[in-house]
Amino acid sequence: RDVERSRGLGDVYKRQQWNRWTLTGEYLFQESRVAGFGGLFSGQKPTQGDAIYAQLEYRLSPAVSVFLRRELGYSDKHDRNGKTAAAATATAAHRYYHRDWALGIGWKPANQWLLRAELHNVKGTSAVSRLENPDSSQLEKDWNLFVLQATYRF
């Protein structure tokens, strides 16, 4: 049983800076193929998923910045609401997409350190790990996430 993911079939990244502003965006195209499961999955064509994000960041000072990010991800770009996949697999449709708005602030107290706080408003659960959350019926379709992050670069 195998799920093959060909990451990077289409991956475009762009970052542009203007004084205190930075605009960053990325688009990813990914093909997935399920093999070795038989039954419903035998002869299944590969799915073509995609994801995109755009982030606008404003530097309040050299050490502090705020950002707004929009992220969209789809397990199958031809089934953006997940209904076809849900009908074929008896799982929730929200398992096959996510649409995320994020607002955050970051502080660099030193060159190697970044402390960040982010608030996310998410519709869909395709970005949620299936390993820790195998039962999609237990997941909320619409949810919020608050993140505190400390990063050290070496």
Side-chain angles (χ1 to χ4, degrees):
R1 296 181 181 160
D2 193 23
V3 176
E4 299 174 10
R5 294 197 186 269
S6 303
R7 187 175 174 120
L9 287 178
D11 192 1
V12 178
Y13 173 85
K14 179 67 177 165
R15 182 178 180 150
Q16 183 67 47
Q17 289 186 295
W18 304 275
N19 296 321
R20 293 176 172 244
W21 294 93
T22 302
L23 178 62
T24 307
E26 184 174 13
Y27 173 76
L28 170 70
F29 170 86
Q30 177 174 292
E31 187 171 280
S32 298
R33 185 182 325 262
V34 177
F37 288 91
L40 174 67
F41 297 103
S42 61
Q44 184 183 29
K45 295 190 294 188
T47 59
Q48 299 172 342
D50 61 354
I52 189 168
Y53 82 88
Q55 177 174 296
L56 184 62
E57 182 177 14
Y58 180 74
R59 285 173 298 289
L60 298 168
S61 72
V64 179
S65 65
V66 293
F67 71 87
L68 176 66
R69 179 172 56 241
R70 178 65 166 161
E71 181 178 326
L72 306 169
Y74 304 98
S75 297
D76 184 345
K77 71 178 188 174
H78 302 292
D79 182 23
R80 294 206 186 273
N81 61 14
K83 290 182 179 177
T84 302
T89 60
T91 57
H94 61 77
R95 203 63 173 127
Y96 300 95
Y97 66 87
H98 72 276
R99 300 175 187 108
D100 181 1
W101 280 104
L103 180 64
I105 186 167
W107 174 49
K108 290 182 78 171
N111 197 34
Q112 301 90 344
W113 285 97
L114 172 63
L115 304 175
R116 204 168 211 177
E118 302 179 9
L119 179 60
H120 294 257
N121 176 261
V122 186
K123 311 252 185 271
T125 59
S126 68
V128 175
S129 169
R130 292 177 190 227
L131 183 62
E132 289 89 10
N133 302 279
D135 184 0
S136 63
S137 69
Q138 298 297 312
L139 299 173
E140 295 288 329
K141 175 183 168 186
D142 300 334
W143 50 287
N144 295 307
L145 176 67
F146 180 67
V147 178
L148 293 175
Q149 178 181 22
T151 307
Y152 180 77
R153 293 179 58 178
F154 52 93

